[in-house]
Amino acid sequence: MVVRFASSLQPRAIAWLVDKVRGPRSHGGAELLVRRQHTEPGEGVILHVSASCRKLLELAEDMELKKRDQAGLMREFLFAHLRDFVGEKGSREDLLTTAERQLIVRHELDNIRALSEDPSIPGYPNFRMYEGQSIVQVMMHRALITAMYPLHDEESLKRLSTKWYYSKVQPIEDIRLYFGEAVALYFKFLDFYTIKLLLPLAIVGVLQMVLSTYETLPFFCICNVIAVTVFLEVWRRRSNESAFQWGTIGMTSLDEPRPNFHGTMMRDTVTGR
């Protein structure tokens, strides 16, 4: 994950955040790996944030990600049961997809929260924070962090592009592995929408233009209503089927609350998180 800071950001604010990113979780840190990219004078500082394989797997368990085990069942990943997912000869480096690794690092960055001794961002006393607030979200809201984005895997992207361009059917599973479930579901919807809705309605539309009279107009209106209703119901089933296969059927958004929201942080009585 690449984190780009504003060129005018004070160095002590950057050093403070880096300490948070590298620091132990017991002290409000994320225990992630940080490397600084060389930049030209006058440009903002750019950091590359990643995590070790073991750390990614531990965080995957914390986030309750679901993975398919050796028996073919989709269930919550547990680091203690790693062999159930990779087998005896499998590699744990290949267990998480590119999209999942990016999601985990981004979620952990967003989860770095202000402590009671962090009333404001160092060097910016007017940028106040309350205990438990996401530091990264505040810095992005204040334009101290100007951009945060993942890097492409050029080799994997080239393979996906080749398969995507020359295949008659969209490689939905490959899209999911690289870009994640949300992007894969979007392209699956486009494919379903084009084939199941546009083509039938296009035929009905042509017939309506050719045979349109006051007597036939109600018939075409009824056909449109039926077609849209069937389309929505079938898509609901298709999307639920995909979500079940991908292990995201009960997954909710991991986005953080608005950075300027002020309230009391509490644990969920159901999940305990």
Side-chain angles (χ1 to χ4, degrees):
M1 186 68 66
V2 177
V3 181
R4 184 186 295 270
F5 295 92
S7 58
S8 59
L9 183 62
Q10 295 190 23
R12 59 173 173 165
I14 299 176
W16 172 73
L17 181 61
V18 170
D19 289 340
K20 291 282 188 181
V21 174
R22 289 174 172 169
R25 302 187 76 181
S26 58
H27 292 80
E31 299 180 355
L32 299 178
L33 306 176
V34 181
R35 179 176 62 87
R36 181 168 178 172
Q37 177 181 320
H38 174 73
T39 55
E40 297 296 330
E43 293 184 350
V45 173
I46 299 177
L47 299 179
H48 291 228
V49 183
S50 60
S52 64
C53 180
R54 180 184 180 89
K55 187 62 181 179
L56 287 172
L57 294 176
E58 291 175 350
L59 294 174
E61 179 178 346
D62 292 342
M63 294 173 60
E64 300 179 351
L65 290 185
K66 292 184 179 180
K67 301 296 295 182
R68 195 173 300 279
D69 62 16
Q70 292 296 297
L73 300 177
M74 185 68 71
R75 59 190 179 96
E76 288 185 8
F77 172 75
L78 296 175
F79 186 76
H81 299 165
L82 181 61
R83 287 300 177 188
D84 293 346
F85 296 90
V86 300
E88 294 296 331
K89 298 182 180 180
S91 173
R92 63 181 186 178
E93 282 79 8
D94 300 328
L95 181 61
L96 297 175
T97 66
T98 301
E100 287 171 338
R101 291 194 292 268
Q102 295 171 355
L103 174 67
I104 291 171
V105 173
R106 175 59 188 265
H107 180 262
E108 196 65 9
L109 283 174
D110 286 338
N111 210 35
I112 300 175
R113 301 187 179 277
L115 304 178
S116 57
E117 58 266 27
D118 301 319
S120 63
I121 298 174
Y124 301 89
N126 293 330
F127 294 170
R128 307 288 296 177
M129 297 183 298
Y130 62 86
E131 184 178 359
Q133 191 171 18
S134 172
I135 295 175
V136 171
Q137 290 292 321
V138 171
M139 296 186 73
M140 294 187 69
H141 178 69
R142 297 292 187 176
L144 302 180
I145 294 178
T146 58
M148 188 159 60
Y149 52 88
L151 289 176
H152 275 300
D153 183 334
E154 294 294 340
E155 184 177 345
S156 299
L157 186 61
K158 185 177 181 179
R159 288 197 302 266
L160 175 60
S161 301
T162 302
K163 189 173 183 179
W164 204 342
Y165 292 157
Y166 297 103
S167 176
K168 295 182 179 179
V169 181
Q170 293 194 86
I172 299 298
E173 184 62 19
D174 296 278
I175 296 173
R176 181 187 75 86
L177 294 177
Y178 190 82
F179 290 106
E181 287 77 10
V183 176
L185 193 63
Y186 168 76
F187 282 103
K188 188 168 186 176
F189 172 78
L190 288 183
D191 188 56
F192 181 80
Y193 176 80
T194 303
I195 296 175
K196 302 299 183 182
L197 184 61
L198 286 185
L199 293 181
L201 288 185
I203 296 175
V204 174
V206 172
L207 293 176
Q208 181 178 355
M209 293 178 61
V210 175
L211 305 175
S212 178
T213 64
Y214 288 110
E215 291 77 11
T216 59
L217 185 59
F219 168 75
F220 289 116
C221 291
I222 294 174
C223 288
N224 286 335
V225 171
I226 294 176
V228 171
T229 303
V230 173
F231 168 81
L232 293 176
E233 180 61 25
V234 175
W235 169 247
R236 184 181 66 84
R237 295 188 179 188
R238 292 284 183 88
S239 61
N240 286 340
E241 179 183 351
S242 297
F244 178 78
Q245 293 175 348
W246 297 340
T248 59
I249 194 167
M251 193 173 181
T252 57
S253 175
L254 296 174
D255 293 338
E256 295 297 319
R258 292 182 296 109
N260 57 347
F261 170 78
H262 190 284
T264 303
M265 299 293 293
M266 301 177 62
R267 288 188 177 274
D268 190 292
T269 56
V270 177
T271 64
R273 294 179 178 272

XYZ file of all heavy atoms in Angstrom, residues 49-114:
536
model
N 3.781 0.577 2.551
C 3.385 -0.158 3.751
C 2.966 -1.565 3.350
O 2.175 -1.748 2.415
C 2.224 0.550 4.483
C 1.875 -0.190 5.765
C 2.595 1.998 4.786
N 3.492 -2.548 4.048
C 3.157 -3.942 3.778
C 3.166 -4.709 5.093
O 3.264 -4.116 6.172
C 4.151 -4.555 2.781
O 5.471 -4.496 3.301
N 3.076 -6.019 4.995
C 3.081 -6.862 6.189
C 3.700 -8.203 5.847
O 3.682 -8.636 4.687
C 1.661 -7.045 6.727
N 4.240 -8.858 6.847
C 4.788 -10.194 6.645
C 3.654 -11.177 6.389
O 2.484 -10.901 6.687
C 5.594 -10.626 7.867
O 4.744 -10.731 8.999
N 3.993 -12.330 5.843
C 2.975 -13.339 5.548
C 2.258 -13.775 6.819
O 1.031 -13.909 6.832
C 3.625 -14.536 4.857
S 2.467 -15.857 4.445
N 3.005 -13.986 7.875
C 2.387 -14.408 9.135
C 1.433 -13.343 9.657
O 0.330 -13.653 10.110
C 3.469 -14.705 10.174
C 2.910 -15.156 11.523
C 3.994 -15.341 12.568
N 3.426 -15.777 13.830
C 3.232 -17.042 14.171
N 3.568 -18.006 13.330
N 2.701 -17.360 15.340
N 1.853 -12.084 9.560
C 1.007 -10.998 10.044
C -0.273 -10.899 9.226
O -1.363 -10.672 9.779
C 1.777 -9.676 9.979
C 1.041 -8.503 10.621
C 0.821 -8.755 12.095
C 0.078 -7.615 12.754
N -0.166 -7.867 14.187
N -0.166 -11.072 7.917
C -1.353 -11.026 7.066
C -2.347 -12.116 7.452
O -3.559 -11.879 7.503
C -0.949 -11.180 5.600
C -0.260 -9.981 4.946
C 0.258 -10.358 3.569
C -1.206 -8.792 4.846
N -1.838 -13.296 7.744
C -2.722 -14.403 8.113
C -3.366 -14.162 9.475
O -4.543 -14.482 9.683
C -1.937 -15.713 8.117
C -1.415 -16.176 6.747
C -0.568 -17.429 6.889
C -2.568 -16.423 5.788
N -2.608 -13.601 10.403
C -3.177 -13.284 11.714
C -4.278 -12.232 11.588
O -5.326 -12.324 12.236
C -2.077 -12.794 12.650
C -1.082 -13.876 13.057
C 0.059 -13.319 13.885
O 0.169 -12.073 13.976
O 0.842 -14.114 14.442
N -4.047 -11.241 10.743
C -5.052 -10.201 10.545
C -6.262 -10.738 9.791
O -7.391 -10.289 10.018
C -4.438 -9.024 9.786
C -3.353 -8.251 10.535
C -2.723 -7.199 9.634
C -3.929 -7.595 11.788
N -6.030 -11.693 8.892
C -7.157 -12.317 8.185
C -8.084 -13.012 9.172
O -9.315 -12.972 9.029
C -6.635 -13.309 7.153
N -7.504 -13.622 10.189
C -8.327 -14.243 11.232
C -9.074 -13.182 12.032
O -10.266 -13.345 12.332
C -7.451 -15.077 12.158
C -8.225 -15.734 13.289
C -7.353 -16.600 14.176
O -6.214 -16.908 13.772
O -7.802 -16.964 15.283
N -8.394 -12.085 12.362
C -9.050 -11.010 13.111
C -10.222 -10.417 12.337
O -11.238 -10.031 12.925
C -8.045 -9.905 13.445
C -6.999 -10.362 14.447
O -7.236 -11.380 15.124
O -5.944 -9.705 14.548
N -10.076 -10.332 11.020
C -11.125 -9.759 10.180
C -12.202 -10.774 9.812
O -13.150 -10.442 9.104
C -10.506 -9.175 8.908
C -9.610 -7.983 9.154
S -8.737 -7.435 7.653
C -10.118 -7.042 6.586
N -12.019 -12.020 10.271
C -12.994 -13.090 10.031
C -13.196 -13.353 8.541
O -14.313 -13.598 8.078
C -14.332 -12.763 10.700
C -14.233 -12.585 12.210
C -15.565 -12.229 12.849
O -16.528 -11.951 12.104
O -15.648 -12.232 14.090
N -12.085 -13.303 7.782
C -12.173 -13.634 6.366
C -12.473 -15.120 6.203
O -11.997 -15.950 6.972
C -10.862 -13.299 5.658
C -10.510 -11.822 5.486
C -9.246 -11.685 4.655
C -11.644 -11.055 4.830
N -13.242 -15.427 5.194
C -13.590 -16.820 4.927
C -12.747 -17.344 3.772
O -12.587 -16.677 2.754
C -15.077 -16.943 4.595
C -15.993 -16.642 5.778
C -17.451 -16.865 5.423
C -18.350 -16.598 6.620
N -19.782 -16.813 6.306
N -12.221 -18.554 3.959
C -11.420 -19.209 2.934
C -11.917 -20.644 2.764
O -12.517 -21.221 3.667
C -9.938 -19.216 3.319
C -9.332 -17.836 3.539
C -9.326 -17.005 2.274
C -8.436 -17.590 1.211
N -8.408 -16.747 -0.018
N -11.630 -21.206 1.602
C -12.045 -22.579 1.331
C -10.987 -23.543 1.861
O -9.803 -23.412 1.548
C -12.252 -22.783 -0.163
C -13.033 -24.059 -0.502
C -13.341 -24.105 -1.991
N -14.131 -22.956 -2.405
C -15.449 -22.863 -2.258
N -16.121 -23.861 -1.687
N -16.090 -21.783 -2.666
N -11.416 -24.502 2.674
C -10.469 -25.454 3.244
C -10.241 -26.618 2.284
O -10.787 -26.662 1.180
C -10.937 -25.939 4.618
C -12.278 -26.677 4.558
O -12.695 -27.078 3.451
O -12.905 -26.850 5.620
N -9.420 -27.575 2.713
C -9.068 -28.700 1.854
C -10.255 -29.604 1.555
O -10.248 -30.347 0.575
C -7.951 -29.514 2.515
C -6.625 -28.784 2.596
C -6.048 -28.495 1.228
O -5.733 -29.404 0.469
N -5.899 -27.219 0.899
N -11.292 -29.530 2.386
C -12.496 -30.325 2.148
C -13.470 -29.630 1.204
O -14.526 -30.181 0.890
C -13.188 -30.633 3.478
N -13.124 -28.423 0.771
C -13.986 -27.693 -0.142
C -15.034 -26.840 0.531
O -15.908 -26.290 -0.141
N -14.960 -26.719 1.858
C -15.939 -25.930 2.604
C -15.434 -24.508 2.803
O -14.260 -24.293 3.106
C -16.219 -26.577 3.963
C -16.775 -28.006 3.938
C -16.919 -28.538 5.356
C -18.105 -28.059 3.200
N -16.323 -23.541 2.646
C -15.987 -22.145 2.888
C -16.274 -21.823 4.346
O -17.414 -21.905 4.803
C -16.806 -21.236 1.976
C -16.439 -19.771 2.060
S -14.790 -19.395 1.412
C -15.065 -19.623 -0.353
N -15.230 -21.484 5.113
C -15.411 -21.182 6.529
C -14.404 -20.135 6.973
O -13.466 -19.809 6.243
C -15.272 -22.441 7.383
C -13.938 -23.166 7.288
C -14.022 -24.519 7.983
N -12.795 -25.294 7.910
C -11.866 -25.333 8.864
N -12.027 -24.609 9.970
N -10.796 -26.084 8.737
N -14.622 -19.600 8.168
C -13.737 -18.560 8.677
C -12.324 -19.104 8.859
O -12.128 -20.200 9.378
C -14.261 -18.018 10.005
C -15.513 -17.165 9.866
C -15.927 -16.543 11.178
O -15.152 -16.662 12.153
O -17.019 -15.946 11.238
N -11.368 -18.299 8.425
C -9.976 -18.723 8.515
C -9.477 -18.616 9.952
O -9.726 -17.626 10.645
C -9.103 -17.847 7.611
C -7.636 -18.091 7.788
C -7.037 -19.223 7.268
C -6.853 -17.189 8.500
C -5.682 -19.453 7.441
C -5.504 -17.402 8.679
C -4.914 -18.540 8.144
N -8.770 -19.648 10.395
C -8.135 -19.671 11.710
C -6.661 -19.999 11.515
O -6.320 -21.017 10.900
C -8.789 -20.704 12.626
C -10.260 -20.465 13.000
C -10.791 -21.636 13.807
C -10.407 -19.164 13.778
N -5.801 -19.143 12.034
C -4.366 -19.350 11.850
C -3.908 -20.651 12.507
O -3.007 -21.325 12.002
C -3.593 -18.163 12.433
C -2.117 -18.226 12.160
C -1.619 -17.924 10.908
C -1.230 -18.595 13.159
C -0.254 -17.990 10.646
C 0.131 -18.664 12.915
C 0.623 -18.356 11.654
N -4.528 -21.009 13.620
C -4.155 -22.246 14.307
C -4.483 -23.479 13.471
O -3.888 -24.543 13.674
C -4.860 -22.320 15.659
N -5.428 -23.346 12.543
C -5.825 -24.463 11.679
C -5.326 -24.236 10.254
O -6.013 -24.574 9.290
C -7.345 -24.623 11.682
C -7.908 -24.913 13.033
N -9.253 -24.789 13.321
C -7.308 -25.326 14.184
C -9.459 -25.099 14.591
N -8.290 -25.432 15.136
N -4.132 -23.680 10.125
C -3.601 -23.313 8.813
C -3.540 -24.505 7.873
O -3.841 -24.388 6.679
C -2.209 -22.692 8.986
C -1.503 -22.218 7.709
C -2.317 -21.137 7.014
C -0.100 -21.707 8.030
N -3.164 -25.675 8.390
C -3.036 -26.864 7.555
C -4.361 -27.297 6.948
O -4.396 -27.954 5.909
C -2.437 -28.012 8.370
C -0.953 -27.849 8.668
C -0.156 -27.763 7.384
N 1.263 -27.539 7.635
C 2.143 -27.268 6.686
N 1.737 -27.176 5.433
N 3.408 -27.069 6.990
N -5.454 -26.942 7.594
C -6.766 -27.287 7.036
C -7.037 -26.538 5.739
O -7.870 -26.969 4.932
C -7.876 -26.958 8.043
C -7.810 -27.840 9.277
O -7.097 -28.864 9.231
O -8.461 -27.502 10.280
N -6.329 -25.421 5.531
C -6.579 -24.586 4.358
C -5.512 -24.750 3.276
O -5.817 -24.626 2.095
C -6.656 -23.116 4.779
C -7.804 -22.803 5.695
C -7.660 -22.896 7.073
C -9.036 -22.437 5.184
C -8.718 -22.612 7.923
C -10.103 -22.155 6.023
C -9.945 -22.247 7.400
N -4.270 -25.008 3.665
C -3.196 -25.111 2.672
C -2.758 -26.551 2.442
O -2.051 -26.829 1.466
C -1.979 -24.260 3.093
C -2.371 -22.805 3.209
C -1.375 -24.759 4.405
N -3.142 -27.465 3.323
C -2.728 -28.849 3.177
C -1.302 -29.070 3.652
O -0.637 -28.165 4.164
N -0.823 -30.274 3.463
C 0.521 -30.624 3.921
C 1.610 -30.043 3.026
O 2.680 -29.680 3.487
C 0.661 -32.153 3.982
C -0.215 -32.814 5.034
C 0.158 -32.390 6.445
O 1.345 -32.071 6.671
O -0.733 -32.372 7.310
N 1.335 -29.954 1.729
C 2.355 -29.493 0.788
C 2.084 -28.084 0.273
O 2.870 -27.556 -0.506
C 2.436 -30.461 -0.401
C 2.836 -31.880 -0.009
C 2.935 -32.768 -1.238
C 3.344 -34.189 -0.855
N 3.439 -35.076 -2.052
N 0.990 -27.491 0.686
C 0.657 -26.154 0.211
C 1.512 -25.082 0.859
O 2.162 -25.298 1.884
N 1.516 -23.915 0.245
C 2.289 -22.779 0.750
C 1.337 -21.735 1.314
O 0.356 -21.365 0.666
C 3.132 -22.169 -0.370
O 3.758 -20.980 0.064
N 1.644 -21.259 2.503
C 0.770 -20.260 3.106
C 0.879 -18.913 2.406
O -0.004 -18.070 2.541
C 1.097 -20.105 4.588
C 2.488 -19.595 4.906
C 2.679 -19.523 6.410
N 3.949 -18.905 6.779
C 4.321 -18.704 8.043
N 3.526 -19.076 9.027
N 5.477 -18.131 8.310
N 1.969 -18.702 1.636
C 2.109 -17.453 0.886
C 1.052 -17.325 -0.206
O 0.737 -16.221 -0.648
C 3.503 -17.352 0.253
C 4.612 -16.959 1.215
C 5.084 -18.120 2.069
O 4.639 -19.265 1.795
O 5.882 -17.903 3.000
N 0.508 -18.458 -0.658
C -0.471 -18.439 -1.749
C -1.911 -18.481 -1.252
O -2.835 -18.522 -2.065
C -0.234 -19.629 -2.683
C 1.155 -19.605 -3.308
O 1.674 -18.498 -3.533
O 1.712 -20.695 -3.560
N -2.108 -18.479 0.048
C -3.466 -18.625 0.576
C -4.308 -17.380 0.334
O -5.473 -17.469 -0.057
C -3.409 -18.935 2.078
C -4.763 -19.128 2.769
C -5.518 -20.304 2.159
C -4.571 -19.346 4.268
N -3.733 -16.209 0.541
C -4.472 -14.957 0.386
C -4.299 -14.418 -1.028
O -3.209 -14.471 -1.596
C -3.984 -13.915 1.394
C -4.188 -14.257 2.867
C -3.548 -13.190 3.753
C -5.665 -14.401 3.201
N -5.374 -13.896 -1.582
C -5.312 -13.304 -2.911
C -4.705 -11.904 -2.836
O -4.537 -11.330 -1.753
C -6.710 -13.213 -3.528
O -7.503 -12.272 -2.770
C -7.406 -14.562 -3.507
N -4.381 -11.359 -4.002
C -3.841 -9.995 -4.057
C -4.816 -9.000 -3.451
O -4.430 -8.115 -2.680
C -3.537 -9.615 -5.518
O -2.605 -10.541 -6.070
C -2.959 -8.207 -5.599
N -6.085 -9.147 -3.796
C -7.099 -8.226 -3.271
C -7.231 -8.343 -1.757
O -7.401 -7.334 -1.060
C -8.446 -8.506 -3.938
N -7.145 -9.559 -1.231
C -7.272 -9.752 0.214
C -6.092 -9.147 0.960
O -6.265 -8.548 2.026
C -7.405 -11.240 0.523
C -8.756 -11.821 0.138
C -8.794 -13.327 0.236
O -7.716 -13.958 0.194
O -9.900 -13.890 0.336
N -4.892 -9.284 0.422
C -3.722 -8.684 1.073
C -3.838 -7.165 1.106
O -3.515 -6.523 2.115
C -2.443 -9.116 0.345
C -2.109 -10.588 0.513
C -0.680 -10.873 0.079
N -0.523 -10.712 -1.357
C -0.658 -11.689 -2.240
N -0.969 -12.906 -1.824
N -0.478 -11.469 -3.531
N -4.299 -6.581 0.014
C -4.483 -5.131 -0.020
C -5.563 -4.695 0.963
O -5.413 -3.680 1.660
C -4.855 -4.700 -1.441
C -3.754 -4.938 -2.458
C -4.226 -4.718 -3.878
O -5.407 -4.475 -4.130
N -3.311 -4.800 -4.829
N -6.636 -5.465 1.017
C -7.730 -5.141 1.931
C -7.269 -5.190 3.381
O -7.607 -4.313 4.191
C -8.884 -6.125 1.719
C -10.059 -6.027 2.703
C -10.796 -4.709 2.517
C -11.017 -7.196 2.513
N -6.466 -6.190 3.718
C -6.008 -6.355 5.096
C -5.108 -5.199 5.506
O -5.265 -4.619 6.588
C -5.279 -7.705 5.245
C -6.280 -8.860 5.125
C -4.543 -7.781 6.574
C -5.627 -10.225 5.044
N -4.150 -4.841 4.648
C -3.230 -3.748 4.987
C -3.992 -2.433 5.110
O -3.767 -1.654 6.051
C -2.115 -3.636 3.927
C -1.257 -2.399 4.177
C -1.237 -4.884 3.949
N -4.913 -2.174 4.191
C -5.685 -0.928 4.256
C -6.545 -0.891 5.518
O -6.638 0.143 6.200
C -6.565 -0.799 3.011
C -7.501 0.420 3.027
C -6.704 1.718 3.140
N -7.565 2.865 3.349
C -8.017 3.656 2.376
N -7.694 3.401 1.112
N -8.777 4.687 2.660
N -7.159 -2.010 5.840
C -7.997 -2.054 7.039
C -7.174 -1.825 8.295
O -7.609 -1.134 9.230
C -8.710 -3.400 7.117
C -9.589 -3.543 8.319
N -9.175 -4.193 9.462
C -10.852 -3.105 8.573
C -10.154 -4.156 10.359
N -11.169 -3.509 9.853
N -5.968 -2.389 8.332
C -5.125 -2.222 9.516
C -4.637 -0.782 9.635
O -4.513 -0.251 10.738
C -3.945 -3.189 9.447
C -3.223 -3.382 10.768
C -4.086 -4.043 11.827
O -5.201 -4.506 11.500
O -3.649 -4.093 12.997
N -4.352 -0.137 8.511
C -3.968 1.275 8.553
C -5.118 2.131 9.076
O -4.922 3.016 9.918
C -3.556 1.750 7.156
C -2.173 1.331 6.658
C -1.982 1.744 5.208
C -1.075 1.935 7.525
N -6.309 1.872 8.583
C -7.472 2.632 9.045
C -7.783 2.361 10.510
O -8.459 3.157 11.162
C -8.701 2.289 8.198
C -8.637 2.908 6.813
O -7.908 3.906 6.654
O -9.308 2.397 5.894
N -7.295 1.240 11.012
C -7.611 0.847 12.384
C -6.590 1.365 13.395
O -6.676 1.035 14.578
C -7.698 -0.677 12.480
C -8.670 -1.129 13.551
O -9.695 -0.495 13.778
N -8.349 -2.218 14.219
N -5.609 2.155 12.951
C -4.683 2.810 13.885
C -5.435 3.975 14.517
O -5.785 4.937 13.835
C -3.421 3.315 13.160
C -2.689 2.153 12.493
C -2.498 4.031 14.138
C -1.497 2.585 11.667
N -5.659 3.891 15.806
C -6.547 4.853 16.460
C -5.807 5.696 17.488
O -4.798 5.274 18.066
C -7.717 4.120 17.116
C -8.523 3.311 16.113
C -9.778 2.724 16.704
N -10.519 1.984 15.695
C -11.353 2.538 14.824
N -11.557 3.847 14.854
N -11.992 1.805 13.929
N -6.329 6.884 17.668
C -5.733 7.820 18.621
C -5.926 7.318 20.044
O -6.986 6.794 20.394
C -6.365 9.199 18.454
